[in-house]
């Protein structure tokens, strides 16, 4: 079994864009993600300084990397791209080295 992978993207929103608008701009992305091989979950948080942290869990690094390429090709027309200050984007997808799951 290949290790799960965590994709973490950090960025600021484009000037004038609210978090509510950003979430709305992600509607097509969220639907697309649900259909991608290896997608497990997505969580979006905001730091005190306004930096957005977008985390996705994948079944493998390869699945995460493939989907990241798809966001900029298959979803090139998505409104989400205009909602992000692209000069601030820091993106990575890395193999998980340790995991602790909740007890049922």
């Amino acid at each position: 079994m290949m290790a799960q992978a965590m994709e973490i993207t950090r960025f600021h929103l484009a000037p004038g864009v609210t978090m509510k608008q950003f979430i709305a701009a992600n509607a097509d992305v969220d639907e697309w993600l649900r259909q991608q091989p290896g997608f497990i979950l997505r969580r979006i948080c905001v730091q005190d300084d306004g930096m957005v942290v977008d985390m996705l869990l994948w079944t493998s690094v390869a699945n995460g990397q493939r989907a990241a390429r798809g966001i900029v090709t298959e979803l090139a027309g998505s409104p989400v791209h205009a909602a992000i200050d692209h000069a601030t984007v820091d993106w990575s997808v890395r193999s998980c080295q340790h995991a602790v799951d909740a007890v049922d």
Side-chain angles (χ1 to χ4, degrees):
M1 178 174 140
M2 297 202 312
Q4 290 179 334
M6 183 68 69
E7 176 183 348
I8 301 175
T9 308
R10 299 176 68 236
F11 53 88
H12 282 284
L13 297 177
V17 175
T18 67
M19 180 53 72
K20 185 175 181 176
Q21 291 168 327
F22 174 70
I23 297 298
N26 271 280
D28 61 339
V29 176
D30 289 343
E31 184 58 34
W32 182 84
L33 284 170
R34 286 184 187 103
Q35 298 173 31
Q36 298 312 299
F39 175 73
I40 299 172
L41 62 83
R42 182 183 197 193
R43 301 291 185 266
I44 297 176
C45 307
V46 182
Q47 296 177 178
D48 290 343
D49 65 357
M51 181 72 72
V52 176
V53 182
D54 189 350
M55 299 168 287
L56 294 93
L57 186 61
W58 297 95
T59 57
S60 70
V61 169
N63 282 330
Q65 290 173 336
R66 184 202 41 73
R69 288 189 299 273
I71 291 287
V72 296
T73 57
E74 295 174 45
L75 292 177
S78 173
V80 76
H81 298 296
I84 296 170
D85 178 350
H86 291 274
T88 65
V89 173
D90 177 34
W91 173 85
S92 68
V93 58
R94 300 284 183 251
S95 178
C96 296
Q97 302 298 305
H98 180 69
V100 177
D101 294 325
V103 178
D104 290 340

